[in-house]
Amino acid sequence: SYELTQPPSVSVSPGQTARITCSGDALPKKYAYWYQQKSGQAPVLVIYEDNKRPSGIPERFSGSSSGTMATLTISGAQVEDEADFFCYSTDTSGKPVFGGGTKLTVL
Amino acid sequence: QVRLQESGPGLVEPSETLSLTCTVSGGSISPYYWSWIRQPPGKGLEWIGYIYDSGSTNYNPSLKSRVTISINTSKNQFSLKLNSVTAADSAVYYCASTPTSAAGTYFDFWGQGIPVTVSS
């Protein structure tokens, strides 16, 4: 079955740039999406269609995709950005698939 | 902005049927797609399936034999039934609005989630 692979954890100091990657064979043909999930809360969409930011999401969140890898970048990460981040896409048949998640630590 | 709220029992006995309802407010349930997604404790997200307002459905193949999603447009609600549950079905269950186009399918607005435990 199709898989999206993320690193289990990423750690940065406040003000630094955090980059979280997501690899998948279908990403050259399918959009990547990113969700932020803070402890005890529902996921929130922070990037859609590779690089678009929903209304209300801070400009420090950006996305890119090249070949089989999508990247979420948080420029000037803040303590309040600490959360689990999940990439999402679909396989070639259109079946929804989530990555395993990356725990971002900002300290 | 649409709001979603899950409701249903928080405890289900093994081999029984898990039944949840999602109520949509702040907008019409038509003509859109709506999904159920779950998250076992300490684990990642798993898409269960989605439904269109016409009643057309698409399920995760790994759960397809046990899942039924239905919709009641007059009540602005859609529902999930998962039968023959085991402890592995214990999770937080989320409902979500599901924009779907030629560009793809994703989940924009989510409910707060409802924890369900399968135990006797």
Side-chain angles (χ1 to χ4, degrees):
Chain A
S1 61
Y2 184 55
E3 293 185 352
L4 294 171
T5 302
Q6 300 179 235
S9 63
V10 168
S11 183
V12 298
S13 299
Q16 288 188 329
T17 295
R19 294 183 179 85
I20 301 172
T21 59
C22 173
S23 64
D25 289 342
L27 289 178
K29 298 181 179 180
K30 298 292 185 180
Y31 283 123
Y33 303 77
W34 291 93
Y35 294 90
Q36 178 187 42
Q37 186 179 34
K38 296 184 178 180
S39 180
Q41 298 182 19
V44 172
L45 181 69
V46 294
I47 294 291
Y48 69 102
E49 293 179 1
D50 289 347
N51 54 22
K52 297 176 183 175
R53 199 171 48 249
S55 174
I57 301 302
E59 290 184 8
R60 63 180 180 273
F61 289 87
S62 63
S64 62
S65 188
S66 177
T68 60
M69 184 168 289
T71 303
L72 172 70
T73 301
I74 308 171
S75 303
Q78 301 182 8
V79 174
E80 60 261 36
D81 297 332
E82 221 175 66
D84 292 324
F85 288 85
F86 295 91
C87 66
Y88 162 84
S89 187
T90 59
D91 67 13
T92 52
S93 71
K95 175 195 162 188
V97 177
F98 288 95
T102 298
K103 181 176 182 61
L104 174 67
T105 302
V106 183
L107 54 72
Chain B
Q1 174 176 320
V2 68
R3 293 177 297 279
L4 301 96
Q5 179 68 59
E6 305 88 349
S7 60
L11 180 64
V12 182
E13 293 197 357
S15 78
E16 297 296 313
T17 298
L18 179 158
S19 296
L20 298 175
T21 296
C22 182
T23 301
V24 179
S25 59
S28 175
I29 203 167
S30 302
Y32 302 107
Y33 287 84
W34 305 91
S35 290
W36 287 99
I37 297 153
R38 69 180 183 179
Q39 185 173 33
K43 296 188 177 181
L45 299 163
E46 180 180 33
W47 169 70
I48 299 171
Y50 60 69
I51 190 166
Y52 189 55
D53 71 333
S54 65
S56 172
T57 55
N58 190 358
Y59 299 137
N60 188 326
S62 67
L63 298 169
K64 188 174 183 178
S65 64
R66 299 194 291 131
V67 172
T68 302
I69 298 176
S70 58
I71 193 165
N72 186 328
T73 54
S74 64
K75 292 186 176 181
N76 251 29
Q77 294 178 332
F78 62 105
S79 298
L80 168 70
K81 290 189 185 297
L82 180 66
N83 59 37
S84 304
V85 297
T86 69
D89 294 310
S90 297
V92 176
Y93 285 76
Y94 296 99
C95 58
S97 54
T98 307
T100 299
S101 69
T105 297
Y106 66 104
F107 317 104
D108 52 0
F109 299 109
W110 298 56
Q112 65 184 24
I114 183 169
V116 178
T117 301
V118 178
S119 175
S120 55

